[in-house]
Amino acid sequence: MPVALKMAYKVIFDALWHFSDDDGWAMASHIALSTLLALFPFLIFGAALGNFLGADQFSATAVHLIFDTWPEVIAKPISDEVVRVLTIPRGGLLTVSVLAAAYFASNGVEALRVSLNRAYRVPETRPWYATRLASLGFVIAGVLSLVAVSIGLVAAPLALNFTYRFIPGLREFLSLIGNWGLVVALVVLTIGLVVCHLWLPDGRRKIMDVVPGILLTLLLWSTGAYAFAYYLSMFANYAATYAGLASLMIALVFLYMVGMIFIIGAEINAAIMKFKVKRMVIRSFRSSEEKRLSEVQ
């Protein structure tokens, strides 16, 4: 067996073994439920903050960025409910309901943090209030990022129309890109994964330590989403089992798959780092042994 193939087998086996040993199946359920419960509070808080900052298009932008990467059969029922929720008028930013929404939204971040700590095999050394404040910081940073994107999407057409005067060929080049919304959503998703893997769990990691798992996560998410959508259209009939709760159960199963792949991506990174350290130790030991033998001779 080639060395690269043998190493890949060891990494995958180690990652899947630890995924099961770290209660990955249960943690994926935790992520799915926490994400679904945090989604509406996050958008409610984001809409309030976006309106406060003058980003009137926040709701539409957030719905597109979050749900454009989901299969339509899964995203449409939830996105329709999200639009209904976000059109309800609310008070100012510092009302009790909005602050409570921010707190409950941070529960989803907490689920990701606990899962990543287990996947990267690091104990949590920070006090609970520090991790909770960090989770709230992630929520606010996520909202501000969506606010910036929504403002940018409004300003982008004006900037492009100005640029077309000096670069006429740019219009033809940009017309080749069929779906700007999907491209922006993938960019935001990738940046979010990098931030989560680098700074959400305890300990320190370099950017190259997390890239393999992130790329694998994006690949498996894309494949899994289309496979699940095909399964729903051809075989599954959740309405016969769950009646009016069918849309909710479909979303939970989909998010369970998403959470499982997210954890496996972190497990892959942890396994690669483990074997890197092991190889460094072996090389250091061999070099010291060779040096000692040469001195003896």
Side-chain angles (χ1 to χ4, degrees), residues 235-247 249-250:
F235 304 106
N237 187 7
Y238 280 78
T241 305
Y242 298 104
L245 296 176
S247 298
M249 294 308 301
I250 289 172

Side-chain angles (χ1 to χ4, degrees), residues 43-62 86 143-155:
L43 292 173
I44 290 171
F45 174 70
L49 183 57
N51 291 333
F52 177 76
L53 296 176
D56 297 333
Q57 298 297 319
F58 174 87
S59 300
T61 303
L86 294 183
V143 169
L144 291 177
S145 299
L146 291 178
V147 168
V149 171
S150 64
I151 294 175
L153 291 177
V154 173

Side-chain angles (χ1 to χ4, degrees), residues 14-85:
D14 183 82
L16 295 179
W17 179 272
H18 277 87
F19 173 81
S20 180
D21 197 45
D22 294 336
D23 300 320
W25 306 105
M27 294 308 299
S29 299
H30 181 38
I31 288 178
L33 184 58
S34 298
T35 301
L36 191 60
L37 292 175
L39 179 61
F40 284 88
F42 172 77
L43 292 173
I44 290 171
F45 174 70
L49 183 57
N51 291 333
F52 177 76
L53 296 176
D56 297 333
Q57 298 297 319
F58 174 87
S59 300
T61 303
V63 168
H64 281 295
L65 290 180
I66 292 174
F67 295 107
D68 277 355
T69 54
W70 293 28
E72 185 178 359
V73 66
I74 305 169
K76 192 176 187 310
I78 300 179
S79 61
D80 290 343
E81 294 300 324
V82 167
V83 171
R84 289 195 193 95
V85 169

Side-chain angles (χ1 to χ4, degrees), residues 12 211-222 261 264-265 268:
I12 293 173
V211 166
I214 290 174
L215 293 178
L216 180 65
T217 298
L218 292 172
L219 176 63
L220 292 181
W221 272 353
S222 302
I261 293 173
I264 288 176
I268 289 289

